[in-house]
Amino acid sequence: TYRTCGRPGCHCQQRGGAKHGPHLNVSYRGADGKTTGYYVPKGAEDATRHGVAAWQRLQTCLRELAALNTEQNLRRAREAESR
């Protein structure tokens, strides 16, 4: 993201002035269901990107597992009805 700072004389405060950035921010849904996030310092960007990629791979695996479980449960229900 690109942002403006709080310094009144900074170029980012001028109309059409270039903003500061790019900056990496991570957003996620917290335990209370609200979206929250945080700024990632430059030194942690690579590790954060790797962590986000690993999280996305895990989510894909969990979706696949949920689909398999659904298929299995439906199959078992059909078999129980046919008996």
Side-chain angles (χ1 to χ4, degrees), residues 10-80:
C10 184
H11 64 87
C12 70
Q13 299 292 330
Q14 308 303 314
R15 184 178 182 139
K19 296 180 180 179
H20 300 284
H23 301 288
L24 180 61
N25 288 284
V26 173
S27 63
Y28 60 95
R29 192 169 316 276
D32 59 358
K34 293 183 179 180
T35 301
T36 187
Y38 58 92
Y39 163 76
V40 179
K42 287 271 188 211
E45 285 184 2
D46 285 341
T48 301
R49 289 181 196 281
H50 287 292
V52 168
W55 178 255
Q56 290 170 337
R57 288 191 303 275
L58 174 63
Q59 290 293 310
T60 299
C61 291
L62 292 173
R63 283 188 208 96
E64 291 171 2
L65 179 60
L68 290 172
N69 284 335
T70 300
E71 290 173 19
Q72 185 178 37
N73 288 337
L74 290 173
R75 189 176 338 106
R76 286 179 181 167
R78 282 189 219 109
E79 289 171 359

